[in-house]
Amino acid sequence: MTTFPVIPLVLATALAVNGVLSRKLSPSGAATAFVVGFLVMATPVRAIGVTLIVFYLLASRATKHRKKRKAQLEEGFQDAGYRTGWQVLCNSIAAFIASVVWSATFAPNVLPWSLLPSVLPQGPLYDSESWCPLSAGISNGLSRALLFVVLGQFACCLGDTLASELGILSTSPPVLITTLKPVPPGTNGGISIGGTLASVAGGCVVGLTLFTSLVVENGACRAEWMSILPSLIFWGSTAGVLGSMLDSFLGATVQRTRYSVNSKRVLQDASVPRDKESIKVISGLNLLTNNQVNLVSSTATAVVVALLA
């Protein structure tokens, strides 16, 4: 008889409650974060859950950094990153699906995965001492690909978050990725040297977190650490900057950026202009929202990294 994953349940509850109390998450965001967090952390490869926690904490901290200054630059800036359920999904859906598929394939005898019907081909049962989840020889590379989906999504999202939240504070104005002309801070598609470096650092941190957790928990991964470390650092950093650049390109082309001439601030998607307020469109077509851009860029990055790594 398998035991219920109590620790993932407690951690998911704590993160969701903390998110509501600190106004990092809306009620729907907290509920979604609890479900996603619990199922991701219940994956027998604990490194996946640890990576999720590190991503959440660092992204939340970056969003809160100098929030008063950001409110001066963006109309409708949400205090402390008040994330909704849809926003949580947009930044985790690929990693969430990859975690569920990995668990159902390689740990179908472990709760809560043992409660699911067997619809996927079964791989070898996970044993942290006999095989490493990053091994290319497990189920024709399926285990490795699923972990790189997790790496790709979290590295992309953390890299993009750091680039956006820290890049907006740069002393020099950003340039639009499609024209390289200066634009106001907070413009969708705006890039800066500082923001780009932050995206690389964010992806590197995710790769390093996944590596450290894997070698601590898995004996087979410890034996292969010299080949695992450069791979995770390289692809984590690549996902961070690639995802950030893709997000910026989409933001500059298919996401509209509006600018208030009166308040000299960029308007967010949900911002409603005041009466007689002078608004001009800086860039982009009004086709996708910021959440949809995040969903497309992070999912595409995760899939590309999984295919290439």
Side-chain angles (χ1 to χ4, degrees), residues 51 55 150-151 154-155 158 201-211 232 236:
T51 304
F55 158 68
V150 174
L151 172 71
F154 289 146
L158 183 58
C204 182
V205 167
V206 172
L208 187 59
T209 299
L210 186 58
F211 165 76
L232 292 179

Side-chain angles (χ1 to χ4, degrees), residues 2-3 20 49 81 92 150 152 239 260:
T2 57
T3 58
V20 172
S92 63
V150 174
S260 170

Side-chain angles (χ1 to χ4, degrees), residues 22 24 31 43 73 132 185 190 194-196 213 217 235 248 259 271 289 305 308:
S22 61
K24 297 184 183 79
T43 305
L73 299 172
C132 177
T196 302
S213 302
E217 73 169 274
W235 287 110
S248 294
Y259 180 76
S271 299
T289 65
V305 168
L308 297 180

Side-chain angles (χ1 to χ4, degrees), residues 17 20 26 69 102 111 145 151-152 159 182 198 208 222 234 238 276 301:
V17 171
V20 172
S26 68
R69 174 57 179 160
W102 194 98
L111 285 171
L151 172 71
L208 187 59
R222 278 196 298 275
F234 172 78
T238 299
K276 299 182 180 180
T301 300

Side-chain angles (χ1 to χ4, degrees), residues 29-179:
T32 305
F34 169 77
V35 174
V36 171
F38 170 64
L39 293 178
V40 169
M41 287 187 282
T43 305
V45 180
R46 302 308 181 195
I48 295 177
V50 172
T51 304
L52 168 65
I53 293 173
V54 170
F55 158 68
Y56 169 75
L57 295 177
L58 290 180
S60 298
R61 182 62 182 172
T63 302
K64 292 178 65 177
H65 181 64
R66 296 185 66 183
K67 58 186 179 183
K68 291 183 180 180
R69 174 57 179 160
K70 294 172 185 174
Q72 295 174 346
L73 299 172
E74 289 186 304
E75 183 81 28
F77 175 79
Q78 293 176 315
D79 181 35
Y82 197 59
R83 309 293 187 183
T84 65
W86 175 234
Q87 286 173 301
V88 171
L89 278 179
C90 288
N91 288 281
S92 63
I93 187 65
F96 171 69
I97 293 174
S99 299
V100 171
V101 171
W102 194 98
S103 298
T105 303
F106 301 106
N109 59 327
V110 178
L111 285 171
W113 316 111
S114 58
L115 302 177
L116 299 177
S118 299
V119 295
L120 296 173
Q122 300 301 301
L125 294 181
Y126 179 56
D127 181 353
S128 61
E129 295 302 320
S130 64
W131 58 274
C132 177
L134 287 177
S135 173
I138 303 299
S139 294
N140 295 318
L142 177 61
S143 174
R144 177 182 174 87
L146 292 173
L147 258 69
F148 271 102
V149 167
V150 174
L151 172 71
Q153 171 135 63
F154 289 146
C156 168
C157 291
L158 183 58
D160 181 58
T161 298
L162 295 184
S164 300
E165 301 295 346
L166 302 181
I168 191 177
L169 302 174
S170 175
T171 55
S172 59
V175 297
L176 196 65
I177 190 172
T178 52
T179 65

